[in-house]
Amino acid sequence: MPLPALSMPCRRWAVVLTAAFALPAGAAGNAAAPAQPALGLSADGTLVVDHRARLAWPRCVEGMRWNGSTCTGMAQLFTYGEAQARAKALGKADGVRWRLPRVNELRRLVDRSARPPTMDARLFPAAPRDWHWTGTASVNAAAVNPYAYGNVVRGGEGESQLSVQQGWAVDMSTGEARGDVGRATRMAVRLVRPAP
């Protein structure tokens, strides 16, 4: 039995809904194909590639070096400003857009369903399980709004000045994130770049 004819507005919605729920070309035949793991190694084994986010992570944190089988040396600790400068300098030297990861990107490296939560030691050997800097900005809109009653009463002092001096960090042993870390604090850094 044929479907009833649709009015013009209904036809537009039918096209939109059909497009929204359509499978990508070739997806119907690949329904049983296994999904690619989220994290895998680059061809040369020096990077961990996040296939879903299209990001590449060095296997070692800054200060440590990959020797072909593990990370050697000591993790270098940076202030927030030093971490940003390191990413910029490395980017200029390599010609690659290295940067500090965002909170959600760095947290994805910690398997929080594991007990206890952990990073995959095969992908990130000898990784420090400490706090790491992220590039996520601390934004406290109420504190920087000059028209907010609390800021007018304080004369624009207090939190607004502190929020500039704070940044976000992730505890790589738990996946916990905090946005109140003083930018002068020295922490480990794992940079990220677009996947090759």
Side-chain angles (χ1 to χ4, degrees):
M1 180 162 121
L3 294 173
L6 299 173
S7 67
M8 186 54 111
C10 289
R11 273 187 270 174
R12 281 190 215 128
W13 278 108
V15 169
V16 169
L17 290 173
T18 302
F21 293 103
L23 292 173
N30 295 337
Q36 184 177 28
L39 299 176
L41 294 177
S42 63
D44 65 0
T46 61
L47 298 171
V48 175
V49 179
D50 183 335
H51 299 286
R52 292 181 191 147
R54 296 187 179 121
L55 296 173
W57 303 86
R59 297 191 68 180
C60 307
V61 295
E62 292 303 301
M64 299 179 83
R65 296 289 166 248
W66 178 249
N67 70 6
S69 60
T70 191
C71 294
T72 61
M74 295 290 296
Q76 192 173 352
L77 304 180
F78 298 85
T79 66
Y80 181 82
E82 291 168 346
Q84 289 284 18
R86 174 72 177 159
K88 190 173 186 176
L90 192 59
K92 280 186 178 180
D94 291 353
V96 176
R97 293 181 317 167
W98 289 102
R99 63 175 174 82
L100 288 174
R102 294 179 193 97
V103 167
N104 60 337
E105 294 168 343
L106 194 55
R107 290 181 77 196
R108 281 183 57 140
L109 301 183
V110 178
D111 181 1
R112 288 173 285 171
S113 66
R115 294 292 171 243
T118 188
M119 292 176 65
D120 187 336
R122 292 170 297 150
L123 297 174
F124 301 103
R129 306 289 195 247
D130 300 322
W131 289 90
H132 286 53
W133 278 119
T134 75
T136 302
S138 286
V139 177
N140 187 346
V144 296
N145 182 352
Y147 303 105
Y149 178 75
N151 290 333
V152 172
V153 170
R154 286 193 307 266
E157 299 174 5
E159 284 184 51
S160 62
Q161 293 172 354
L162 284 177
S163 64
V164 173
Q165 299 172 8
Q166 295 176 337
W168 280 87
V170 172
D171 182 350
M172 298 308 289
S173 66
T174 64
E176 176 189 357
R178 294 184 61 166
D180 60 353
V181 180
R183 289 188 175 195
T185 306
R186 294 191 166 277
M187 289 189 277
V189 171
R190 185 180 298 278
L191 298 176
V192 68
R193 57 171 276 188

